[in-house]
Amino acid sequence: MRILVVEDTEDLADAIVHRLRKLGYAVDWAPTGDEAEELLRQEAYQLVLLDIMLPGVDGQTLLNRLRQRRDVTPVLVMTARSQVNVRVDLLDLGADDFIVKPFDLRELEARCRALLRRSHGLASSRTQFGNLVFDAAAKKVLIDARPVDLGGREFRLLELFLSNLNTVLSKEDLMDRLFSLDQPTALNAIELYVSRLRRKLEGASVEIRTVRGLGYVAEVCAEG
């Protein structure tokens, strides 16, 4: 999942980016509204974490422009302004959720999970696919009730496949969602991660198939 953090306070931005990358998310950072606007026009994100008080274009203007061009990317507003009328205005403007500074990074994680889950039509963090259980909150995967040891990026790769069942995902799609702009990588890295994930999912009801010339597709089999 690709996330854009728009925050001008470098220490806070570093903490957020480090925390989310450790969880396997691809995260880009924009310290100004102008830089964020350029990235949002050029790149595809699954979530935006948006500060309101920014140099240049402020967060409220950025959010308004995003919605005016019918961009429905979920936006989580990070603000030090806790007044009810401010929060109401932001929600009416198109924000999907907000968190008041200072905040606990664990709460930020949970709100990110909720917005990403909602955008993929999942009702709960814990979802079962045949004999495979995927728990985004606990960061666990079970096959026949046995835990599967996945690295952070393998976990996010599986999450991508499960969120897009029966949909072909190209290597470029997967690379864009798994790696940040400052983490250049080759397409064969995707092949390596998919190969590792397949080995670890042996015996699972979820199968990742190669679609020659197009990419990969995940399907739930009748039997694991």
Side-chain angles (χ1 to χ4, degrees), residues 130 154-155:
E154 292 168 345
F155 187 86

Side-chain angles (χ1 to χ4, degrees), residues 22-39:
K22 190 174 181 181
L23 294 173
Y25 293 110
V27 188
D28 296 328
W29 172 47
T32 70
D34 300 282
E35 291 177 60
E37 188 162 38
E38 185 175 352
L39 284 174

